[in-house]
Amino acid sequence: MAKRQLLKTINRVAILNAIKAHGAIARTDIAIYTHLSPATVTSLTAELIRDGLIYEKQAGISRGGRRPILLALNAEGAVVVGIKLAENDATLALTDLNAHIIKQHTIRLDERDPESTSQQLARGVDGLLAKAGARRSRLLGVGVGLAGMIDSQAGICRVSPHNGWREVPFSQLLEDQLDCIVYLDNNVNALTLVEQLYGAGQHVPNFLVITVGHGIGLGIVANGQVVRGANGGAGEFGHTVVDPSGFECTCGNHGCLETFVADAWLVRRAQIRGLDVDSALALTVQAQNGDARAVEVFAQAGEVLGCGMANLVNLFNPALIVISGEGVRAGDLLFGPMKAAMQRHMFAQLAEDLEVCIEPLTDETWARGAAGLVLERIFSLPALD
Ligand SMILES: [Zn+2]
């Protein structure tokens, strides 16, 4: 990006964030908060009003003289679409600039190859806009979150285990279909961005997001930045080895953390104990009804998860850990033993101010996370590389 353009983008983001943080604010106060000249504030806010991102609200309180016009975020002035791309279906959510979901729907994916998937998703986006009565011109961009190793800068899916994709330039494919900008990222990173922008992670420079359910995911925020690693593969917490002589995992290694904690493995371990269950939900019900074998499966999973989390705390020293995912349904069956194991294995000094927050998660939240991929570009500073 040319230096002039970059400077302008940075200043626009600074102004947008000042407005987002204060609700409604006068131009003179924006200049004070952002340290920008009044002339720059005037010209950039005019541009933001034209783009529909902010609007002139009622006049504020006078400090002598004319009452100043307040500027506010035009949350509904523009929309974004977030897509959670799963194995057999995709959940699409249309959100405003505050990541509030306006409309959402789930579509079945009949074909899984990248080309057909992009066509089906494009139809899904058009259908969603029509349902919400939103004009196409208001769509700022589309974010897609999926499991796997994603190069978010290049918009390339390096490896996705669920649909067997390798080296797929999916952002480009979908952009060709939709004729609007498309951002691609690992689904847990997308969720982490939403926590950082709007959720528990706001103003927390160092925090972790752990998802439990179908797989075990990890989003890392260190010094205010999402850590993606050299190839977009950081955060494969589920495939850290817990027992080298354990069961063979879907990744080909043995004894990964997932083989103790992920839904399919909970079921398998329950079946080995002689329980007749075919889903993690059914197992949860059995355990809630007091079946000792079911309780034991969750206790073991919690213990392994808690040890792994203690390792993460000792590595990253986070101020906050958000635990989410479909697996949250197990509640204290899982989190009781998990917390106990964490307490035993964390450095006491690191545990002192650590907050652990457990949030339920649905497909809708995952899709909202994907919307965060677009929103992040609006409210965050561009990467300097
Ligand atoms: Zn594995």
Side-chain angles (χ1 to χ4, degrees), residues 238-239 249-253 256 258-259:
H239 298 284
C249 177
T250 47
C251 72
N253 286 337
C256 295
E258 265 191 30
T259 67

Side-chain angles (χ1 to χ4, degrees), residues 9 12 29 92 97 166 186 189 204 225 256 267 272 319 358 368-369:
T9 307
R12 264 175 70 114
D29 290 328
L92 293 83
L97 293 183
R166 276 182 182 274
N186 171 278
N189 285 344
V204 184
Q225 297 287 323
C256 295
V267 172
I272 290 169
I358 296 167
R368 184 169 170 253

Side-chain angles (χ1 to χ4, degrees), residues 47-285:
E47 210 176 86
L48 290 165
I49 290 171
R50 212 167 46 237
D51 291 349
L53 295 176
I54 61 173
Y55 71 103
E56 289 187 329
K57 222 179 166 180
Q58 81 287 1
I61 298 157
S62 166
R63 293 182 196 140
R66 206 152 52 91
R67 295 204 301 163
I69 301 287
L70 299 183
L71 296 174
L73 197 64
N74 186 13
E76 284 124 47
V79 293
V80 306
V81 171
I83 302 176
K84 185 219 176 188
L85 184 57
E87 222 168 323
N88 301 312
D89 55 39
T91 301
L92 293 83
L94 184 80
T95 82
D96 65 16
L97 293 183
N98 283 324
H100 290 139
I101 295 179
I102 299 166
K103 269 271 184 293
Q104 60 108 18
H105 68 182
T106 298
I107 57 170
R108 249 199 86 74
L109 299 172
D110 301 318
E111 312 269 349
R112 283 196 211 165
D113 67 284
E115 196 68 48
S116 320
T117 303
S118 69
Q119 288 163 3
Q120 294 170 89
L121 292 185
R123 281 199 296 275
V125 169
D126 283 337
L128 191 61
L129 287 169
K131 254 191 204 172
R135 281 198 316 277
R136 185 61 180 269
S137 56
R138 283 171 60 205
L139 181 64
L140 287 180
V142 173
V144 182
L146 70 165
M149 203 182 284
I150 314 295
D151 181 341
S152 62
Q153 285 285 333
I156 295 172
C157 170
R158 297 275 175 227
V159 185
S160 185
H162 298 322
N163 46 22
W165 293 358
R166 276 182 182 274
E167 302 299 325
V168 174
F170 195 70
S171 283
Q172 188 62 54
L173 278 176
L174 193 53
E175 276 175 9
D176 291 347
Q177 295 286 337
L178 282 169
D179 201 24
C180 84
I181 195 149
V182 174
Y183 298 108
L184 191 70
D185 208 339
N186 171 278
N187 51 8
V188 183
N189 285 344
L191 197 66
T192 305
L193 283 174
V194 163
E195 288 293 347
Q196 189 182 29
L197 279 171
Y198 304 99
Q202 277 185 88
H203 317 299
V204 184
N206 294 282
F207 73 94
L208 304 174
V209 174
I210 292 172
T211 60
V212 290
H214 187 65
I216 309 301
L218 169 67
I220 305 159
V221 174
N223 300 330
Q225 297 287 323
V226 174
V227 176
R228 292 187 169 86
N231 301 311
E236 288 294 348
F237 178 47
H239 298 284
T240 49
V241 179
V242 174
D243 174 11
S245 58
F247 288 127
E248 187 180 345
C249 177
T250 47
C251 72
N253 286 337
H254 286 261
C256 295
L257 186 130
E258 265 191 30
T259 67
F260 290 86
V261 190
D263 281 353
W265 288 96
L266 293 174
V267 172
R268 183 159 164 197
R269 287 177 184 274
Q271 289 167 345
I272 290 169
R273 284 175 164 83
L275 273 159
D276 182 24
V277 289
D278 59 1
S279 72
L281 181 62
L283 180 66
T284 307
V285 173

